[in-house]
Amino acid sequence: MNGCQGLTWKCEPPSKKVNFMDLTISIANNKIETDLNEKDLNLYLYVPPHSSHPRGVFTGLISGQVLRIRRLCSNQSNATANIRNFQERLLARGHVPCNLNPLFERAEKNAHEYMSKSQAEHEEARRIKQAEAQQQIYFHLQYHPEDPPSREIQKLWRDFVSHPADDLPLIEKRNVMGEKVGIRKLIVAYSRPPNLRNRFSVRDIHGRGSNVSSFIK
């Protein structure tokens, strides 16, 4: 088997513990237990505090990781230890506790609320979200830290488009066909600017420009 397609197969004897993807699965006291599995070579290069990312990116990172860890770990004491390790790695990247602690507290609260809901409640929330998506439009911007914040864009949207002081709300207006506009909400959607990898390590299938070798003679 080891000569097939250059792959080397590693066989291990049967055991009650195995790593699969990001999970460590084990059998203890006739029960299946799960824990977070992290690769030894993971460098944990999380977004540093001086990076020009929208604040929501970092908030989403913490919220997503806390919820992921809480859901993957069957033993919540292990989950707490893994979340503490996550926080320590963010501190090592230059973040400070006074900024991290409120985000982790909010993430823990959101994770608890999410996991306490039933499957029916999740399906209902998904249905509501899909219905609301039909009444919103997106304003796509490439993020720059010196641009006006999204809250100012949202204020302009409310004052001059969705709820102008001297006109009907946008949701109640009709188009030239006599149909209601049906737009209630604006989503400011940011994309990151191209980084060095995008500039100098280009895949041909993307057609984004020349490879790094074209700049070197």
PDB file of all heavy atoms in Angstrom, residues 108-126:
ATOM      1  N   GLU A 108     -19.108  33.779  25.628  1.00  0.00           N
ATOM      2  CA  GLU A 108     -19.603  32.702  26.491  1.00  0.00           C
ATOM      3  C   GLU A 108     -21.118  32.795  26.651  1.00  0.00           C
ATOM      4  O   GLU A 108     -21.824  31.776  26.633  1.00  0.00           O
ATOM      5  CB  GLU A 108     -18.918  32.760  27.859  1.00  0.00           C
ATOM      6  CG  GLU A 108     -17.460  32.342  27.859  1.00  0.00           C
ATOM      7  CD  GLU A 108     -17.296  30.825  27.857  1.00  0.00           C
ATOM      8  OE1 GLU A 108     -18.242  30.100  27.503  1.00  0.00           O
ATOM      9  OE2 GLU A 108     -16.189  30.360  28.198  1.00  0.00           O
ATOM     10  N   LYS A 109     -21.635  34.002  26.805  1.00  0.00           N
ATOM     11  CA  LYS A 109     -23.078  34.188  26.947  1.00  0.00           C
ATOM     12  C   LYS A 109     -23.797  33.754  25.675  1.00  0.00           C
ATOM     13  O   LYS A 109     -24.815  33.047  25.731  1.00  0.00           O
ATOM     14  CB  LYS A 109     -23.382  35.655  27.255  1.00  0.00           C
ATOM     15  CG  LYS A 109     -24.862  35.957  27.397  1.00  0.00           C
ATOM     16  CD  LYS A 109     -25.103  37.437  27.670  1.00  0.00           C
ATOM     17  CE  LYS A 109     -26.597  37.736  27.744  1.00  0.00           C
ATOM     18  NZ  LYS A 109     -26.854  39.190  27.990  1.00  0.00           N
ATOM     19  N   ASN A 110     -23.276  34.159  24.529  1.00  0.00           N
ATOM     20  CA  ASN A 110     -23.901  33.786  23.258  1.00  0.00           C
ATOM     21  C   ASN A 110     -23.856  32.277  23.038  1.00  0.00           C
ATOM     22  O   ASN A 110     -24.818  31.678  22.539  1.00  0.00           O
ATOM     23  CB  ASN A 110     -23.208  34.506  22.099  1.00  0.00           C
ATOM     24  CG  ASN A 110     -23.455  36.004  22.114  1.00  0.00           C
ATOM     25  OD1 ASN A 110     -24.393  36.491  22.746  1.00  0.00           O
ATOM     26  ND2 ASN A 110     -22.598  36.747  21.431  1.00  0.00           N
ATOM     27  N   ALA A 111     -22.729  31.654  23.405  1.00  0.00           N
ATOM     28  CA  ALA A 111     -22.601  30.203  23.238  1.00  0.00           C
ATOM     29  C   ALA A 111     -23.598  29.469  24.123  1.00  0.00           C
ATOM     30  O   ALA A 111     -24.222  28.491  23.697  1.00  0.00           O
ATOM     31  CB  ALA A 111     -21.171  29.765  23.558  1.00  0.00           C
ATOM     32  N   HIS A 112     -23.753  29.953  25.361  1.00  0.00           N
ATOM     33  CA  HIS A 112     -24.709  29.316  26.275  1.00  0.00           C
ATOM     34  C   HIS A 112     -26.132  29.427  25.730  1.00  0.00           C
ATOM     35  O   HIS A 112     -26.902  28.457  25.760  1.00  0.00           O
ATOM     36  CB  HIS A 112     -24.608  29.963  27.652  1.00  0.00           C
ATOM     37  CG  HIS A 112     -25.636  29.456  28.626  1.00  0.00           C
ATOM     38  ND1 HIS A 112     -25.551  28.213  29.218  1.00  0.00           N
ATOM     39  CD2 HIS A 112     -26.788  30.024  29.098  1.00  0.00           C
ATOM     40  CE1 HIS A 112     -26.586  28.037  30.008  1.00  0.00           C
ATOM     41  NE2 HIS A 112     -27.351  29.113  29.952  1.00  0.00           N
ATOM     42  N   GLU A 113     -26.485  30.612  25.225  1.00  0.00           N
ATOM     43  CA  GLU A 113     -27.834  30.805  24.683  1.00  0.00           C
ATOM     44  C   GLU A 113     -28.055  29.926  23.451  1.00  0.00           C
ATOM     45  O   GLU A 113     -29.129  29.335  23.293  1.00  0.00           O
ATOM     46  CB  GLU A 113     -28.047  32.276  24.329  1.00  0.00           C
ATOM     47  CG  GLU A 113     -28.102  33.191  25.550  1.00  0.00           C
ATOM     48  CD  GLU A 113     -28.256  34.652  25.163  1.00  0.00           C
ATOM     49  OE1 GLU A 113     -28.195  34.951  23.940  1.00  0.00           O
ATOM     50  OE2 GLU A 113     -28.421  35.495  26.072  1.00  0.00           O
ATOM     51  N   TYR A 114     -27.049  29.823  22.603  1.00  0.00           N
ATOM     52  CA  TYR A 114     -27.181  29.016  21.387  1.00  0.00           C
ATOM     53  C   TYR A 114     -27.363  27.540  21.732  1.00  0.00           C
ATOM     54  O   TYR A 114     -28.237  26.858  21.178  1.00  0.00           O
ATOM     55  CB  TYR A 114     -25.953  29.206  20.504  1.00  0.00           C
ATOM     56  CG  TYR A 114     -26.005  28.425  19.212  1.00  0.00           C
ATOM     57  CD1 TYR A 114     -26.577  28.987  18.073  1.00  0.00           C
ATOM     58  CD2 TYR A 114     -25.490  27.134  19.128  1.00  0.00           C
ATOM     59  CE1 TYR A 114     -26.630  28.278  16.876  1.00  0.00           C
ATOM     60  CE2 TYR A 114     -25.551  26.422  17.949  1.00  0.00           C
ATOM     61  CZ  TYR A 114     -26.111  27.003  16.822  1.00  0.00           C
ATOM     62  OH  TYR A 114     -26.177  26.272  15.652  1.00  0.00           O
ATOM     63  N   MET A 115     -26.556  27.028  22.659  1.00  0.00           N
ATOM     64  CA  MET A 115     -26.589  25.604  22.978  1.00  0.00           C
ATOM     65  C   MET A 115     -27.810  25.221  23.815  1.00  0.00           C
ATOM     66  O   MET A 115     -28.164  24.051  23.892  1.00  0.00           O
ATOM     67  CB  MET A 115     -25.303  25.219  23.703  1.00  0.00           C
ATOM     68  CG  MET A 115     -24.056  25.375  22.844  1.00  0.00           C
ATOM     69  SD  MET A 115     -22.512  25.074  23.738  1.00  0.00           S
ATOM     70  CE  MET A 115     -22.688  23.333  24.126  1.00  0.00           C
ATOM     71  N   SER A 116     -28.440  26.201  24.449  1.00  0.00           N
ATOM     72  CA  SER A 116     -29.620  25.901  25.261  1.00  0.00           C
ATOM     73  C   SER A 116     -30.900  25.829  24.435  1.00  0.00           C
ATOM     74  O   SER A 116     -31.939  25.400  24.942  1.00  0.00           O
ATOM     75  CB  SER A 116     -29.779  26.950  26.366  1.00  0.00           C
ATOM     76  OG  SER A 116     -29.999  28.239  25.803  1.00  0.00           O
ATOM     77  N   LYS A 117     -30.831  26.238  23.171  1.00  0.00           N
ATOM     78  CA  LYS A 117     -32.015  26.210  22.319  1.00  0.00           C
ATOM     79  C   LYS A 117     -32.226  24.823  21.725  1.00  0.00           C
ATOM     80  O   LYS A 117     -31.276  24.079  21.491  1.00  0.00           O
ATOM     81  CB  LYS A 117     -31.888  27.238  21.190  1.00  0.00           C
ATOM     82  CG  LYS A 117     -31.922  28.688  21.664  1.00  0.00           C
ATOM     83  CD  LYS A 117     -31.800  29.648  20.494  1.00  0.00           C
ATOM     84  CE  LYS A 117     -31.849  31.088  20.957  1.00  0.00           C
ATOM     85  NZ  LYS A 117     -31.713  32.038  19.821  1.00  0.00           N
ATOM     86  N   SER A 118     -33.478  24.508  21.471  1.00  0.00           N
ATOM     87  CA  SER A 118     -33.818  23.227  20.857  1.00  0.00           C
ATOM     88  C   SER A 118     -33.610  23.289  19.348  1.00  0.00           C
ATOM     89  O   SER A 118     -33.432  24.366  18.766  1.00  0.00           O
ATOM     90  CB  SER A 118     -35.284  22.877  21.158  1.00  0.00           C
ATOM     91  OG  SER A 118     -36.149  23.824  20.546  1.00  0.00           O
ATOM     92  N   GLN A 119     -33.659  22.116  18.707  1.00  0.00           N
ATOM     93  CA  GLN A 119     -33.517  22.057  17.259  1.00  0.00           C
ATOM     94  C   GLN A 119     -34.629  22.829  16.570  1.00  0.00           C
ATOM     95  O   GLN A 119     -34.413  23.509  15.561  1.00  0.00           O
ATOM     96  CB  GLN A 119     -33.520  20.599  16.795  1.00  0.00           C
ATOM     97  CG  GLN A 119     -33.309  20.418  15.294  1.00  0.00           C
ATOM     98  CD  GLN A 119     -31.950  20.924  14.836  1.00  0.00           C
ATOM     99  OE1 GLN A 119     -30.980  20.896  15.602  1.00  0.00           O
ATOM    100  NE2 GLN A 119     -31.869  21.386  13.599  1.00  0.00           N
ATOM    101  N   ALA A 120     -35.838  22.756  17.125  1.00  0.00           N
ATOM    102  CA  ALA A 120     -36.967  23.485  16.548  1.00  0.00           C
ATOM    103  C   ALA A 120     -36.738  24.990  16.621  1.00  0.00           C
ATOM    104  O   ALA A 120     -37.074  25.732  15.682  1.00  0.00           O
ATOM    105  CB  ALA A 120     -38.256  23.099  17.268  1.00  0.00           C
ATOM    106  N   GLU A 121     -36.162  25.455  17.722  1.00  0.00           N
ATOM    107  CA  GLU A 121     -35.883  26.891  17.860  1.00  0.00           C
ATOM    108  C   GLU A 121     -34.814  27.334  16.871  1.00  0.00           C
ATOM    109  O   GLU A 121     -34.896  28.436  16.313  1.00  0.00           O
ATOM    110  CB  GLU A 121     -35.452  27.193  19.294  1.00  0.00           C
ATOM    111  CG  GLU A 121     -36.566  27.085  20.307  1.00  0.00           C
ATOM    112  CD  GLU A 121     -36.077  27.279  21.733  1.00  0.00           C
ATOM    113  OE1 GLU A 121     -35.058  26.642  22.100  1.00  0.00           O
ATOM    114  OE2 GLU A 121     -36.707  28.050  22.484  1.00  0.00           O
ATOM    115  N   HIS A 122     -33.805  26.488  16.648  1.00  0.00           N
ATOM    116  CA  HIS A 122     -32.771  26.831  15.657  1.00  0.00           C
ATOM    117  C   HIS A 122     -33.374  26.899  14.256  1.00  0.00           C
ATOM    118  O   HIS A 122     -33.040  27.796  13.461  1.00  0.00           O
ATOM    119  CB  HIS A 122     -31.648  25.796  15.700  1.00  0.00           C
ATOM    120  CG  HIS A 122     -30.729  25.955  16.873  1.00  0.00           C
ATOM    121  ND1 HIS A 122     -29.998  27.101  17.100  1.00  0.00           N
ATOM    122  CD2 HIS A 122     -30.423  25.108  17.887  1.00  0.00           C
ATOM    123  CE1 HIS A 122     -29.272  26.952  18.189  1.00  0.00           C
ATOM    124  NE2 HIS A 122     -29.518  25.753  18.692  1.00  0.00           N
ATOM    125  N   GLU A 123     -34.251  25.970  13.935  1.00  0.00           N
ATOM    126  CA  GLU A 123     -34.881  25.977  12.616  1.00  0.00           C
ATOM    127  C   GLU A 123     -35.766  27.197  12.433  1.00  0.00           C
ATOM    128  O   GLU A 123     -35.805  27.794  11.352  1.00  0.00           O
ATOM    129  CB  GLU A 123     -35.679  24.691  12.429  1.00  0.00           C
ATOM    130  CG  GLU A 123     -34.817  23.442  12.327  1.00  0.00           C
ATOM    131  CD  GLU A 123     -35.632  22.172  12.226  1.00  0.00           C
ATOM    132  OE1 GLU A 123     -36.881  22.269  12.294  1.00  0.00           O
ATOM    133  OE2 GLU A 123     -35.029  21.081  12.078  1.00  0.00           O
ATOM    134  N   GLU A 124     -36.477  27.598  13.477  1.00  0.00           N
ATOM    135  CA  GLU A 124     -37.317  28.781  13.398  1.00  0.00           C
ATOM    136  C   GLU A 124     -36.469  30.037  13.223  1.00  0.00           C
ATOM    137  O   GLU A 124     -36.805  30.925  12.430  1.00  0.00           O
ATOM    138  CB  GLU A 124     -38.178  28.902  14.656  1.00  0.00           C
ATOM    139  CG  GLU A 124     -39.043  30.152  14.728  1.00  0.00           C
ATOM    140  CD  GLU A 124     -40.087  30.227  13.626  1.00  0.00           C
ATOM    141  OE1 GLU A 124     -40.335  29.193  12.966  1.00  0.00           O
ATOM    142  OE2 GLU A 124     -40.653  31.321  13.434  1.00  0.00           O
ATOM    143  N   ALA A 125     -35.357  30.128  13.959  1.00  0.00           N
ATOM    144  CA  ALA A 125     -34.459  31.275  13.814  1.00  0.00           C
ATOM    145  C   ALA A 125     -33.864  31.327  12.413  1.00  0.00           C
ATOM    146  O   ALA A 125     -33.712  32.413  11.828  1.00  0.00           O
ATOM    147  CB  ALA A 125     -33.346  31.192  14.856  1.00  0.00           C
ATOM    148  N   ARG A 126     -33.568  30.152  11.843  1.00  0.00           N
ATOM    149  CA  ARG A 126     -33.040  30.108  10.482  1.00  0.00           C
ATOM    150  C   ARG A 126     -34.092  30.564   9.475  1.00  0.00           C
ATOM    151  O   ARG A 126     -33.787  31.284   8.518  1.00  0.00           O
ATOM    152  CB  ARG A 126     -32.570  28.688  10.170  1.00  0.00           C
ATOM    153  CG  ARG A 126     -31.748  28.565   8.890  1.00  0.00           C
ATOM    154  CD  ARG A 126     -31.289  27.147   8.648  1.00  0.00           C
ATOM    155  NE  ARG A 126     -30.467  26.659   9.747  1.00  0.00           N
ATOM    156  CZ  ARG A 126     -30.830  25.723  10.605  1.00  0.00           C
ATOM    157  NH1 ARG A 126     -32.021  25.138  10.492  1.00  0.00           N
ATOM    158  NH2 ARG A 126     -30.023  25.332  11.561  1.00  0.00           N
TER     159      ARG A 126
END
